[in-house]
Amino acid sequence: SIVKDAYIEGYLKDNISDHFKRIPQRRSQREFLTQEEVKKLLSTPCEYDVLRNLIALAIFSGLRPADIKTLDWSEILLGADGEPIIRKQMHKTKNIETIPISRDALKFCGIPKSHGLVFNDFRPSMAVKPLRDWVKAAGITKHVTLYTFRHTCATMLITAGADISYNHSNGLFFKAGTNLAGALLNRWQRPFGF
């Protein structure tokens, strides 16, 4: 907290934060889409192709919104097995993570370039009314935000049998390694016909 940091840096003589009663954190309900809802959404026309493509990649990669919005072409590579991966320093944790993606999911990134933002045309305002209108047009009544698609990926991976650890502050971790995670991502994407 700020008070504890002020004590550590010598601005306060006493660590008065020890005298505060801590507010317990409650687990919030994490909204996610079902496989059927994902199919409906991705088959419904969207006002902005860049919004649809960003969200599709979020669903199939589990990237945080901040990380997918800043995804650069130089961070999309081929892994040792020849399959595409995203190797990126995460915005929140500053950790460098390797995320397997399928070749079909990669198609949502558009025409590959040597560098530059993958979703350069995305604007934050698209994640408000245009997203809400698109979700409504798909017949989905849930409250959907960009984070919903990250939670959807985690839920689908668990349903497909992935041994993952999901922690909101630390992120989505594959315990079984990227090869198995990639195979599971490919497996649960198959019913979508990508």
Side-chain angles (χ1 to χ4, degrees), residues 6 9 51 75 82 91 97 99 112 118 121 126 128 132 135 137 150 160 177 181 189 192:
E9 294 184 24
L51 175 63
E75 297 166 324
H91 181 265
E97 301 289 343
I99 296 114
V118 173
D121 296 335
M126 293 176 189
V128 186
R132 190 173 46 239
V135 168
R150 176 174 168 76
Q189 288 172 25
F192 295 99

Side-chain angles (χ1 to χ4, degrees), residues 6 16 54 66 68 102 119 127 134 138 140 145 155 165 171 175-176 192:
I16 61 173
L54 181 141
I68 203 161
S102 72
F119 299 106
W134 183 36
I140 299 167
T145 67
T155 302
S165 171
K175 292 180 182 176
F192 295 99

